Amino acid sequence: MTRSIYIDVPDVFAASYGAHGAEARAWIAELPRLGGEFLDHWGLRLDGPLAYGMASLVLPVLRSDGTPAVLKLQQLREETAGARGRPAGVERQRDRAPARP
């Protein structure tokens, strides 16, 4: 069963990152849904306030077994993509079950 989880993107981060152009603004617009999809997919639940930097949003989470972790959300760009065009972390975790963010 898929839950409908949406994350709240901090306004300051959205405004700052969105200043990088239309592609960045489109990614920011999708972040609430994308973040929720990752939380659902990996069975994570939020565990505190979101943090952010210049280019990423970081969510403190708990895994299904209660282990603390973080989920870092960053727009896929040439400099953040792995060899196959996927984020490097996803590429490393693709064949593992359960995936660890």
Side-chain angles (χ1 to χ4, degrees):
M1 179 173 100
T2 301
R3 301 171 297 183
S4 295
I5 297 174
Y6 288 86
I7 60 168
D8 290 322
V9 177
D11 292 337
V12 173
F13 176 72
S16 173
Y17 195 82
H20 294 282
E23 190 175 306
R25 287 189 297 277
W27 179 73
I28 289 289
E30 288 295 312
L31 256 183
R33 181 189 58 77
L34 291 171
E37 286 180 7
F38 283 119
L39 291 170
D40 272 350
H41 178 76
W42 285 324
L44 305 172
R45 36 179 228 276
L46 290 174
D47 186 42
L50 283 64
Y52 56 90
M54 296 282 296
S56 61
L57 192 60
V58 179
L59 291 67
V61 296
L62 293 174
R63 297 185 56 191
S64 60
D65 66 0
T67 305
V70 296
L71 175 61
K72 180 179 176 184
L73 302 172
Q74 186 169 356
Q75 184 179 16
L76 182 59
R77 301 165 62 115
E78 186 176 334
E79 63 269 18
T80 60
R84 290 178 242 165
R86 292 187 297 262
V90 171
E91 193 166 294
R92 285 191 300 272
Q93 300 299 330
R94 185 179 178 126
D95 297 325
R96 296 183 186 174
R100 291 177 172 245

